[in-house]
Amino acid sequence: RQMSPWRDWVIAAFNRNMPVDQFITWQLAGDLLPDATHEQRLATGFNRNHMQSQEGGIVSEEYRTEYVADRVNTFGAAFLGLTLECARCHDHKYDPVLQKDYFKLFAFFNNVNETGQIPYSGMPSPTVTVSTPEDFGNQGKLPTHPELLDYLAVSFRDSGWNLKGLLRQIVLSETYRQSSAASPQSLETDPANAKLSRGPSYRLAAEQIRDNALAASGLLVRKVGGPSVYPYQPPGLWEELATRNATTYTQGTGDDLYRRSLYTVWKRTTPPPSAISFDASERLLCTVKRQRTSTPLQALVLLNDVQYVEAARVLAERVLLEGGPTPDERITLAYRLLTSRRPTATELAAVKALHDKERATFAARPKAAQALRGAGEKLPARTLDPVDVATWTVVASTIMNTDEAVNKR
C-alpha cells in the first residue's frame, strides 16, 4: 500500500503545529465534515493503516469485518487509552465499555467510505506522570502527579491544543532539565523515578539511533516528504519470506540510502531487522508504548550493519578533514557530534590508546584498511590515507556504541 500521501499530511500537520483537536478529528472523520476538502479527506487515510490480506481464497466480508474491528481497537488505544478488544465478545464485570458500546463504535467505522482510501500497490517518549499510557482503565497505573497532569491538560486545552507549546512547556521546566544522574539518596527514596527526583533517562528509539548516526557523519538527507525509500537491508529477506506482492527488495541509491528513518519502506511480513533489534514496532497493531530492551544483538547491529559501518567511515573522514591535526582534537569532535559533549580525560586516554592500537593493526594489514574504507555506497575521500580512515572508522564506531550515543541522559 502506498501511504506516503497520508504520511506527508501528518508531517505537514506537525510542522505547522495544527491544533490537536483538528488533527484528531480530520483523521477520524475528515470526510464527514461540511464541504470536506481534499486535505480533510486525505487525513482519513489514518483509518486504512491496518493490515490487509491479498491472498486468494479468503472470504472478503470476513476480512473486511476484521479491518473494521482493527479501526475500533486502534481508536480505543490511541484516543481513549483503553483496550476495547474484549468487549467485542461479551460484557466484562469491571470493564467500563459494554458489548453494545463496542458495536456502536463498530457501526461508525463500518460506514467509513473510500474517500481516503489509498489502494494496495504491492516515534514515543514516556508519558508524563503515567507509566501505562496504553491503559487508562482500571488495570492501568494511577498518575503519580494527578494535579500536574490536570494542570497540563487544562493548559493544553486553553492554549488551543497547541502541541508545540505543550512540549516546550515540559522540556523547559526545571523538573525535565534536571540531571538524570541518580544519587544514592535518590535511588533509595525514588528508585523508579516516580517522584521525578531526577531527569528522564532512556534508550533512544530505533529511528533516532539511525538518524543520529547519519546526522553525525553528515550523511543524513533532510528532504521532507515523498514516497518511501529502500535503504540497506540484508540480502534475500523479502525473497525468503514473501509469497506474493513485492517479492523482491530493490535497494535504493544515492540520497535514498540516507533519508530519515521515517521514510524507510515497511513491509509487515519482513520489517527492517536492524529496526526490530532496537524494539521498533512491527506495525501489525496499534502500539502506544514500545518496549525498551538492552541486548547484545543491538551492539552487533551498530558494529556490523553496513548503514552504521558506513556512517562511522564517513564520520572518520569528517574528523580527519575538520577535527584538527591532533588525535585529541579529532576524538573531541567525534564525541561532540555523537554525544553532544566533550570526552572526559579518562575517555580521551582510552580512545587514544584504541587509536594507536588500531593504526598499528591496519598499517600491517593495508588490504583490510582498503576493505573498511569501501564500506557502503558513499565514495571514499580519495585524498585521505586508507590506514588513517580505517583507524578512525573503528574509533568512530566505538564512540557510536557508547552509552550516551544511544541513550538520553
Side-chain angles (χ1 to χ4, degrees), residues 316-364:
E317 295 175 349
R318 183 175 180 181
V319 299
L320 284 167
L321 294 170
E322 303 175 15
T326 68
D328 285 25
E329 292 173 297
R330 293 168 178 173
I331 293 169
T332 298
L333 177 59
Y335 259 90
R336 294 189 68 182
L337 289 170
L338 286 167
T339 69
S340 300
R341 67 165 178 84
R342 297 177 181 275
T344 65
T346 301
E347 291 167 335
L348 193 60
V351 175
K352 284 175 65 177
L354 171 68
H355 166 272
D356 295 344
K357 177 183 176 182
E358 293 298 326
R359 198 180 196 293
T361 299
F362 284 116

Side-chain angles (χ1 to χ4, degrees), residues 204 212 338-339 341 347 402-409:
L204 300 176
N212 184 52
L338 286 167
T339 69
R341 67 165 178 84
E347 291 167 335
T402 58
D403 176 90
E404 287 179 74
V406 295
N407 288 278
K408 182 190 182 304
R409 297 295 189 193

Side-chain angles (χ1 to χ4, degrees), residues 123-175:
M123 63 60 359
S125 299
T127 302
V128 177
T129 82
V130 183
S131 61
T132 55
E134 72 282 6
D135 188 355
F136 288 168
N138 292 333
Q139 303 302 312
K141 300 290 186 181
L142 292 174
T144 56
H145 297 69
E147 295 88 355
L148 173 59
L149 189 60
D150 285 347
Y151 169 76
L152 290 173
V154 171
S155 62
F156 184 36
R157 181 198 62 195
D158 292 347
S159 71
W161 306 101
N162 183 341
L163 182 59
K164 289 186 178 182
L166 174 66
L167 294 176
R168 186 180 300 111
Q169 182 181 15
I170 292 173
V171 300
L172 292 181
S173 68
E174 290 186 10
T175 301

